[in-house]
């Protein structure tokens, strides 16, 4: 068993004793964030415990097919009282936005995650960095809690597994990952549908943005990156995240050791998405700049102009590449 039974029992007992549970996830949510959040919602529904699902800016249209998508709201409701808070896929409480920060009278927190940089900020912590998605952590937990995995829960869990593994292609995918995916399909999750909607489909505006960003691609000392200013992004009508797929594309450039996309999401706020392949580790770069994540996929936010952010990031990444290359020699 990957999870200690005592931890699974404690989480189950705390949920059963709760009257109203708040479930939150990280800002700029991805498929694992929405999948985890709605999967926990499905389990709370099954256990007949009232719940609120909240994340800054609410649901992303890409994931509107998820069960309970209509229950995902923007931010917490400060008038409601929560006696239990569950955070999913949240590497740090700083990453949980106002949905978490605005909660008055903070209740006990169950922190369920798979980021190696998670500082175990919860009252109960279930952090398994060896697993490729928070949804896979949840699946193992649900099994040990004795949850019946219905088609709705299976759809949510498989969404997070598919998106965080880029369709079961990342180095942390294990035989167990595929075993779970198989069980979820048997429970009613539609893998081709999920892969199409959660992973493959791209709005034209994203490719328009990628075209512009790739036009200014830079490659120095084994570090490859692209950047878009706030003006460039808004001119192309791209408010969404939209560059996760581009980061992954750059992370597979054969001649590069580390890759990044920089997006100025608000004037002076630059969101950085980092990628690499083993044996390199981009989380070192993200952590040095106040962010976090996984060895091969990390992120951080730099408060500067897009030019200043590029300079800082390139210096930090190139130094990390030199250090890691020397350590491998
Ligand atoms: Mn995740």
């Amino acid at each position: 068993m990957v999870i200690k039974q005592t931890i699974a029992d404690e989480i189950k007992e705390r949920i059963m004793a709760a009257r109203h549970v708040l479930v939150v996830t990280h800002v700029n949510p991805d498929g694992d964030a929405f999948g985890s959040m709605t999967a926990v919602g499905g389990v709370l529904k099954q256990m007949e415990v009232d719940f609120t699902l909240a994340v800054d800016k609410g649901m992303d249209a890409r994931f509107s097919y998820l069960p309970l998508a209509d229950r995902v709201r923007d931010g917490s409701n400060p008038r409601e009282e929560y006696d239990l808070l569950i955070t999913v896929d949240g590497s740090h409480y700083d990453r949980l936005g106002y949905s978490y920060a605005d909660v008055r009278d903070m209740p006990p927190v169950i922190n369920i995650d798979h980021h190696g940089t998670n500082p175990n900020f919860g009252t109960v912590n279930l952090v398994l960095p060896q697993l490729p998605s928070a949804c896979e952590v949840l699946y193992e937990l649900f099994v040990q809690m004795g949850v019946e995995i219905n088609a709705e829960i299976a759809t949510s869990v498989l969404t997070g597994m598919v998106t965080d593994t880029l369709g079961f292609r990342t180095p942390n995918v294990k035989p167990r990952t595929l075993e779970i995916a198989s069980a979820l399909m048997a429970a009613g999750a539609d893998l081709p549908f999920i892969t199409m909607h959660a992973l493959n489909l791209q709005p034209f505006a994203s490719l328009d943005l990628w075209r512009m960003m790739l036009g200014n691609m830079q490659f120095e000392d084994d570090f490859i990156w692209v950047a878009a200013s706030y003006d460039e992004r808004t001119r192309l009508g791209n408010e969404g995240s939209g560059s996760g797929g581009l980061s992954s594309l750059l992370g597979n450039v054969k001649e590069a050791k580390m890759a990044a996309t920089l997006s100025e999401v608000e004037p002076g706020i630059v969101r950085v998405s980092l990628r690499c392949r083993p044996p390199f580790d981009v989380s070192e770069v993200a952590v040095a700049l106040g962010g976090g994540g996984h060895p091969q996929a990390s992120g951080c936010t730099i408060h500067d102009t897009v030019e200043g952010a590029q300079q800082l990031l390139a210096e930090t990444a190139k130094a990390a590449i030199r250090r890691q290359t020397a350590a491998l020699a």
Side-chain angles (χ1 to χ4, degrees):
M1 275 188 296
V2 65
I3 297 169
K4 279 190 200 138
Q5 193 59 47
T6 49
I7 299 274
D9 290 344
E10 181 176 4
I11 292 173
K12 186 175 181 178
E13 279 158 24
R14 283 184 182 269
I15 290 172
M16 287 195 307
R19 281 203 307 270
H20 197 112
V21 181
L22 174 64
V23 187
V24 301
T25 187
H26 60 82
V27 295
N28 190 25
D30 51 20
D32 196 28
F34 284 122
S36 296
M37 175 175 262
T38 55
V40 171
V43 170
L44 294 171
K45 189 173 140 188
Q46 192 180 98
M47 292 171 76
E48 298 181 334
V49 176
D50 286 336
F51 62 91
T52 295
L53 310 179
V55 62
D56 293 14
K57 298 183 182 169
M59 198 67 207
D60 181 330
R62 173 184 280 273
F63 300 104
S64 58
Y65 68 85
L66 283 170
L68 300 174
D70 58 340
R71 291 282 307 268
V72 177
R73 57 196 279 177
D74 179 8
S76 56
N77 183 347
R79 287 169 302 178
E80 263 177 299
E81 284 181 13
Y82 307 104
D83 44 14
L84 186 63
L85 200 155
I86 301 177
T87 71
V88 287
D89 200 33
S91 57
H92 194 280
Y93 56 82
D94 280 351
R95 289 271 298 149
L96 301 170
Y98 50 76
S99 306
Y100 179 89
D102 290 354
V103 175
R104 292 191 310 209
D105 306 321
M106 188 61 74
V109 173
I110 298 175
N111 165 25
I112 301 171
D113 187 30
H114 72 122
H115 293 88
T117 53
N118 191 303
N120 290 324
F121 57 85
T123 317
V124 180
N125 298 288
L126 177 55
V127 180
L128 301 177
Q130 71 273 30
L131 298 191
S133 61
C135 276
E136 190 168 329
V137 179
L138 285 172
Y139 180 87
E140 300 288 13
L141 173 67
F142 295 163
V143 167
Q144 283 181 236
M145 284 171 62
V147 167
E148 182 219 327
I149 309 287
N150 58 31
E152 294 198 339
I153 296 170
T155 297
S156 290
V157 173
L158 193 57
T159 291
M161 292 179 67
V162 164
T163 51
D164 264 22
T165 62
L166 305 176
F168 306 106
R169 291 183 297 160
T170 52
N172 47 13
V173 169
K174 296 289 187 296
R176 175 69 178 152
T177 311
L178 298 182
E179 241 172 58
I180 294 170
S182 173
L184 294 170
M185 287 181 80
D190 185 339
L191 177 63
F193 177 91
I194 291 169
T195 304
M196 177 64 76
H197 288 271
L199 207 56
N200 292 351
L201 287 177
Q202 295 288 354
F204 177 78
S206 286
L207 266 83
D208 212 15
L209 179 69
W210 294 10
R211 168 167 59 188
M212 187 276 295
M213 292 173 87
L214 287 167
N216 300 313
M217 183 165 59
Q218 301 194 66
F219 186 28
E220 290 172 12
D221 303 337
D222 304 321
F223 179 55
I224 192 164
W225 78 96
V226 296
S229 69
Y230 181 73
D231 284 349
E232 289 168 325
R233 285 169 59 84
T234 47
R235 202 181 331 125
L236 293 174
N238 203 294
E239 310 82 28
S241 45
S243 61
L246 181 55
S247 312
S248 299
L249 185 69
L250 292 174
N252 283 318
V253 172
K254 201 174 168 185
E255 294 84 355
K257 290 178 177 170
M258 291 186 186
T261 58
L262 297 89
S263 302
E264 192 180 13
V265 290
E266 304 280 346
I269 301 176
V270 180
R271 189 177 293 143
V272 179
S273 174
L274 288 148
R275 295 287 186 278
C276 69
R277 302 178 303 280
F280 292 93
D281 180 350
V282 281
S283 70
E284 176 191 327
V285 179
V287 168
L289 298 173
H294 309 289
Q296 271 82 49
S298 295
C300 61
T301 301
I302 300 175
H303 294 261
D304 201 340
T305 60
V306 76
E307 290 77 21
Q310 287 183 79
Q311 202 178 352
L312 175 65
L313 178 70
E315 273 170 30
T316 311
K318 289 194 267 183
I321 290 170
R322 280 195 299 275
R323 206 163 35 247
Q324 292 181 21
T325 303
L328 289 164

